[in-house]
Amino acid sequence: MGPNVVWLTEALSQHLDLQSDMRVLDMGCGKAASSIFLAKEFGASIWATDLWIAAEENWQRVCDAGLDQQICPIHAEAHQLPFAQGFFDVLISIDAYHYFGTDDLYIGYFAQFVKPGGVIAIMVPGLAHEFTEGIPEHLKPYWEWDFCSFHSAAWWNHHWQKSDQVEVIQADFLPEGWKHWLQWQQILVEQGLRGNSEEYSSEAKMLQVDAGRNLGFVQLIARRENV
Ligand SMILES: C[S@@+](CC[C@H](N)C(=O)[O-])C[C@H]1O[C@@H](n2cnc3c(N)ncnc32)[C@H](O)[C@@H]1O
């Protein structure tokens, strides 16, 4: 669903010490491509949790991938998660956290589901730096209002750190991330894989015009405080 989700998951997972005996929450997993990748690559158990995609649909994909002993599909809203506190070793979210995690209090709620000292890692579309003087002229023709949830690595770092519930250990704007995003958009348009191809080609044009000056991906990795 999101741009180049397996590539993003692989990039993020390189910073995590994922082991086969770990329980991982994949929050906003969409069609569970990231969950399938993580289960196959690391042998971990994954709770593939999403709102827009039904658990039954993801269960079928999980079974087709032969991972029915490793991945549990869950249909849940991000603010009403049906898990025990401290249940997970790692919380991951790819191209989804900006939909539900930009309010100040969410990280405190989310972090309770990982054990104290456990890791929380997200990858989101984001900015090289905050737009302090408004949206740059070259982006205005393509800008959608909900891109207002895109933020810089420094913004995300502060957003989590100020809660005092987690310690941020890494906050980066991915070098060349925009190229992977653009490649994804181009493939969707070329293959006619989306109904509204105008929206997708507009996003591709925006990425081309911007050429990584502002748009890309932010990765953020933190540890839950040991309290
Ligand atoms: C752009 S899709 C990305 C899906 C997947 N991670 C990927 O990269 O292919 C964003 C996902 O966030 C999930 N999402 C958005 N708001 C949510 C919420 N309030 N609670 C749970 N999931 C939510 C949607 O269900 C959707 O699948």
Side-chain angles (χ1 to χ4, degrees), residues 1 28 30-31 49-55 57-58 74-77 95-96 99 146:
M1 287 172 78
K31 296 187 175 180
T49 305
D50 199 69
L51 183 64
W52 301 343
I53 303 296
E57 186 186 324
N58 277 340
I74 301 280
H75 183 250
E77 204 286 323
D95 192 23
Y99 288 105
D146 57 354

Side-chain angles (χ1 to χ4, degrees), residues 116-203:
V119 167
I120 305 165
I122 67 167
M123 183 78 80
V124 283
L127 305 176
H129 17 251
E130 292 296 303
F131 295 156
T132 50
E133 288 168 19
I135 299 156
E137 282 304 318
H138 70 280
L139 293 178
K140 280 187 179 165
Y142 314 102
W143 198 255
E144 303 286 342
W145 79 268
D146 57 354
F147 295 166
C148 67
S149 67
F150 295 172
H151 290 288
S152 65
W155 186 93
W156 280 108
N157 188 352
H158 177 66
H159 182 60
W160 276 12
Q161 198 67 55
K162 72 181 177 183
S163 73
D164 228 13
Q165 300 300 298
V166 297
E167 181 199 356
V168 175
I169 45 188
Q170 195 162 345
D172 302 307
F173 185 67
L174 284 201
E176 311 284 284
W178 69 279
K179 289 186 180 167
H180 295 274
W181 186 351
L182 174 61
Q183 186 188 39
W184 181 253
Q185 295 300 331
Q186 285 171 332
I187 289 168
L188 290 181
V189 172
E190 279 164 25
Q191 301 293 316
L193 288 172
R194 295 285 165 130
N196 183 359
S197 69
E198 226 168 76
E199 183 189 328
Y200 285 90
S201 59
S202 161
E203 204 167 302

